[in-house]
Amino acid sequence: MSAAAGLKAATVKHPDAMAPLIRILDELRETARFAGRDDLGSRLNMVHARVTDPRVRLVVVGEPKNGMSTLVNGLVGASVSATNSDLSIPVIVEYGPEATATLVRQTELGRTERQSVDPLDPGPALAAQGVVRAEFTHPGPLLADGVVVMDAPGALGDNRTTWSMIAAADAVLYVGNAGAELTMEQIAQLQRIQQICPTVVCVLNKIDVSPNWSHTQQRNRELLDAAGLGFAVAPVSAALHRQAGQSGDHQRDIESGVPQLIDHLRDYVVARADAVALEAAVQDIRLVGDHLAVTLRTESEALRDTRRRAEITGQLVRARDEADQLRQRTANWQVALVDGSTELMADIEHDLRHRLRSLIRDAEAEIAKSDPARRWRDFGADLDARICEAVEENFAVAHYRSMELSEQVAAKFPADNHAAPLLDLRLADPDEVLRHVQPLEPLESAKAGVTQQFLTGLRGSYGGILMVGLATSLLGMSLVNWYSAGAGVLLGVNALWDDRKNRKLRRRAEAKVAVARLMDDVIFQVGKESRNRLRGMQRVLRDYFTDIATEASRRADEALRVAEEAYGKYGDHREERIADLDARLRKLRALRAEADDLVAE
């Protein structure tokens, strides 16, 4: 709340009346710190802030669609709370010489920002994302009397924001529907509200549309009395009050019941601000004092038990031993992870090379059995399938070996820590890894053309014709004769045969080279992907076990700290601690009596 905005508002809680209460609260907060009850200390801080605020905090709560926002606007005299909308954020309205509107936002980084908006039309800004609450100032008569009006969001239930606003309030307006009497659930909510804030006024809204509202009012009074709740039940019509304000019809405004409600608040809450604040604070003091007394008494009884000292000493020894063992076990987990990851990468790469080497040997043996050119395309498709199978198995091995590594590192920690939730390294589709691998190269010498075969035969036959023709020419025969022609045919056929044989050997050599190049490409692409996945696995394990090591170390240090603190209480300083506890208990009883006297006055 803005302090500047409330400078001219009336001071309804007198500092002199609140001074004894503030002193009691300060001493209780010190006792809460002594007892280690930070939760009770937080509640006392809230009570302290409520008591030191010179104004009266009035919170409006109830079930949705009961006209709470319309009633808040009527009490304030301005449209500060959204009506007929699903928007539900806390709204705080206090006195100010001029109307202002400020939105409090929560940023993505967790910081809080304040933004000024148009007080006459705050609706669009209220609907923005990240708005935590809306704060308004307005020069309204009720606000000038020293009242801060707070509109709590949504239904009560387990809404922590609404209940924290009730705990911070001096008085509560519980808004119900005049067309329906209070249910058992609402009675239970009112009983819980009274335990937190004893000053409550029940409001029956919408009497203009509920002809039997007087019967509902009577019935609600009976239900409240039966539950031991002596709350006033005020019938109003916030909608009728708004219409009367727009038309200036004073008689209709009186019929709305809102002016009577405001007068009741002035007489019952504002005029009695000191008594209201004292009653609420003393109720909190009693509750907190009871809890502190139980805590201190329990510790005092435990200190007087001689067996407790031996037990605490044993706990300290065990805590130190467990902390030392934990540090020894977790000191080398990073070494185990780094060594295991390095070994795993080397083993997986060796497994991949071994599988592909086996494929190369099988492919070379198949190439040596026949001419690869006859079924080179089918050979390539079969080789691709076997490569896919080998790569798939290699990644499956990597996955299971990674799980083993995770379990080995987890064994360095206490037994309640499980292995890290690793991503599945297995391949759902090997093509996602092999799509960058170039296909098997075609054989350049796969086929010889007719012209090339003719020239090969011609070169072979030319030598036979020439040699035999020269020999037969010595016998007086021509260079080209039947003998030389026959020799040419034989040598030409032999040349063709030798050429085909050489081409087959050359094709086999080319096929082996093509297979080797394919395997090199597979090793290059698959090896890179395998290393990337294994490094990702290593990072996951590192982050996971770093968190576990940090948490385990924190728990061990915390357990050791608690054991040492307990030993400090129950060990050598036991008698001093007992004396302090007894003194604190006596002080609690004195503070409780002093608080009761404040209310009795």
Side-chain angles (χ1 to χ4, degrees):
M1 301 177 188
S2 173
L7 286 177
K8 295 184 179 180
T11 299
V12 293
K13 295 177 188 172
H14 298 91
D16 293 340
M18 297 295 106
L21 201 58
I22 294 174
R23 180 181 55 79
I24 294 174
L25 290 172
D26 290 339
E27 294 189 16
L28 279 178
R29 288 195 292 180
E30 175 60 28
T31 303
R33 284 193 293 269
F34 174 81
R37 293 297 301 272
D38 295 337
D39 54 334
L40 298 179
S42 299
R43 178 156 186 171
L44 290 171
N45 290 336
M46 183 179 294
V47 177
H48 188 275
R50 187 179 72 214
V51 170
T52 54
D53 190 344
R55 303 161 299 179
V56 171
R57 301 177 179 182
L58 177 68
V59 62
V60 182
V61 300
E63 298 298 324
K65 306 303 180 183
N66 281 348
M68 291 183 296
S69 299
T70 306
L71 180 60
V72 169
N73 294 338
L75 295 175
V76 172
S79 297
V80 295
S81 190
T83 59
N84 298 324
S85 172
D86 293 332
L87 187 65
S88 181
I89 61 171
V91 175
I92 301 174
V93 193
E94 58 188 12
Y95 176 79
E98 297 180 355
T100 63
T102 304
L103 300 184
V104 180
R105 296 173 176 273
Q106 190 80 23
T107 65
E108 295 180 356
L109 300 178
R111 294 195 297 267
T112 300
E113 295 180 351
R114 301 176 67 86
Q115 175 188 1
S116 297
V117 297
D118 184 6
L120 300 179
D121 186 24
L126 288 174
Q129 185 177 6
V131 177
V132 178
R133 67 178 180 273
E135 299 177 356
F136 292 86
T137 63
H138 186 74
L142 184 62
L143 302 177
D145 289 340
V147 177
V148 178
V149 179
M150 302 183 291
D151 184 8
L156 284 172
D158 293 327
N159 192 321
R160 297 180 61 182
T161 302
T162 299
W163 286 108
S164 64
M165 293 178 71
I166 293 173
D170 294 292
V172 177
L173 284 186
Y174 185 88
V175 182
N177 195 323
E181 62 184 48
L182 293 172
T183 63
M184 297 305 297
E185 181 181 359
Q186 291 173 322
I187 294 292
Q189 289 177 350
L190 286 168
Q191 289 174 331
R192 182 180 175 187
I193 291 173
Q194 187 192 38
Q195 294 174 358
I196 301 174
C197 180
T199 303
V200 181
V201 177
C202 290
V203 178
L204 281 182
N205 196 14
K206 301 184 179 181
I207 62 174
D208 55 321
V209 295
S210 303
N212 298 323
W213 63 266
S214 58
H215 173 74
T216 304
Q217 181 186 21
Q218 182 63 31
R219 180 58 181 157
N220 283 351
R221 282 175 176 164
E222 294 174 357
L223 292 172
L224 291 172
D225 291 341
L229 303 173
F231 301 153
V233 181
V236 301
S237 173
L240 199 62
H241 174 71
R242 181 182 58 189
Q243 295 171 7
Q246 294 172 350
S247 62
D249 190 340
H250 179 68
Q251 182 61 33
R252 175 172 288 188
D253 193 24
I254 296 298
E255 294 175 359
S256 71
V258 175
Q260 294 89 319
L261 174 62
I262 294 176
D263 290 340
H264 178 76
L265 292 175
R266 286 194 175 105
D267 297 338
Y268 180 68
V269 178
V270 178
R272 299 178 57 252
D274 291 341
V276 168
L278 284 171
E279 183 181 1
V282 168
Q283 180 169 296
D284 287 321
I285 288 172
R286 290 168 179 166
L287 179 62
V288 172
D290 290 342
H291 283 286
L292 287 175
V294 170
T295 301
L296 298 177
R297 195 176 298 111
T298 301
E299 183 178 348
S300 177
E301 292 173 356
L303 284 170
R304 286 180 168 85
D305 187 356
T306 56
R307 293 173 300 179
R308 183 66 172 162
R309 181 176 182 180
E311 181 182 348
I312 293 299
T313 304
Q315 288 181 356
L316 177 61
V317 173
R318 287 194 299 271
R320 286 175 176 171
D321 292 342
E322 290 175 359
D324 292 339
Q325 292 176 6
L326 179 63
R327 292 189 183 96
Q328 293 174 2
R329 294 181 64 184
T330 58
N332 60 348
W333 73 268
Q334 291 180 326
V335 176
L337 176 59
V338 172
D339 291 347
S341 299
T342 303
E343 182 181 353
L344 177 59
M345 291 182 187
D347 290 346
I348 295 304
E349 184 177 2
H350 177 268
D351 179 79
L352 176 64
R353 290 182 177 275
H354 175 72
R355 293 176 185 276
L356 295 182
R357 280 179 179 271
S358 299
L359 290 182
I360 291 175
R361 286 194 294 268
D362 294 342
E364 289 178 349
E366 188 173 348
I367 289 171
K369 291 180 182 178
S370 61
D371 188 355
R374 295 180 180 178
R375 48 182 305 272
W376 185 244
R377 185 171 299 176
D378 295 338
F379 175 82
D382 181 64
L383 184 60
D384 288 342
R386 285 187 284 176
I387 290 174
C388 288
E389 182 179 357
V391 171
E392 203 168 0
E393 292 176 354
N394 177 256
F395 277 81
V397 171
H399 173 72
Y400 292 114
R401 287 288 304 277
S402 299
M403 295 177 63
E404 293 177 1
L405 176 61
S406 177
E407 293 173 355
Q408 291 172 3
V409 178
K412 302 294 182 181
F413 294 90
D416 56 343
N417 291 298
H418 302 287
L422 292 175
L423 297 176
D424 195 340
L425 300 183
R426 292 171 294 187
L427 293 177
D429 182 10
D431 288 339
E432 62 179 305
V433 178
L434 298 173
R435 63 175 178 271
H436 299 296
V437 176
Q438 297 297 323
L440 190 64
E441 298 175 357
L443 299 180
E444 296 295 335
S445 59
K447 293 183 179 181
V450 176
T451 302
Q452 191 173 7
Q453 293 182 19
F454 174 75
L455 292 176
T456 299
L458 185 61
R459 284 195 297 270
S461 62
Y462 174 77
I465 292 173
L466 184 60
M467 288 187 297
V468 175
L470 289 175
T472 55
S473 63
L474 297 177
L475 300 176
M477 301 176 65
S478 62
L479 183 63
V480 179
N481 53 58
W482 289 103
Y483 297 105
S484 63
V489 170
L490 290 175
L491 291 180
V493 170
N494 184 66
L496 283 175
W497 179 262
D498 290 340
D499 180 68
R500 289 182 178 180
K501 183 178 180 181
N502 291 334
R503 284 182 180 276
K504 181 186 291 187
L505 294 175
R506 192 160 57 247
R507 283 195 293 271
R508 288 175 177 171
E510 289 180 9
K512 293 179 180 180
V513 171
V515 170
R517 289 179 179 175
L518 175 64
M519 295 304 177
D520 287 341
D521 200 9
V522 170
I523 291 174
F524 176 76
Q525 298 293 344
V526 176
K528 180 178 181 300
E529 179 67 20
S530 178
R531 287 190 296 272
N532 289 342
R533 294 196 179 200
L534 290 174
R535 288 195 185 99
M537 174 274 302
Q538 183 181 5
R539 285 191 290 270
V540 170
L541 292 180
R542 180 197 62 199
D543 296 341
Y544 178 79
F545 287 111
T546 297
D547 293 340
I548 289 181
T550 303
E551 179 63 20
S553 178
R554 187 196 64 79
R555 287 202 305 266
D557 293 340
E558 179 66 17
L560 183 58
R561 183 189 65 81
V562 171
E564 289 176 345
E565 288 182 356
Y567 183 77
K569 295 178 183 178
Y570 294 89
D572 299 335
H573 305 286
R574 185 171 66 91
E575 298 299 332
E576 298 176 8
R577 182 69 177 180
I578 291 175
D580 289 341
L581 290 172
D582 292 341
R584 294 281 180 174
L585 285 170
R586 290 192 297 269
K587 186 64 175 178
L588 271 180
R589 288 191 290 269
L591 292 175
R592 173 73 176 264
E594 188 175 350
D596 292 340
D597 291 340
L598 290 176
V599 178
E601 295 175 0

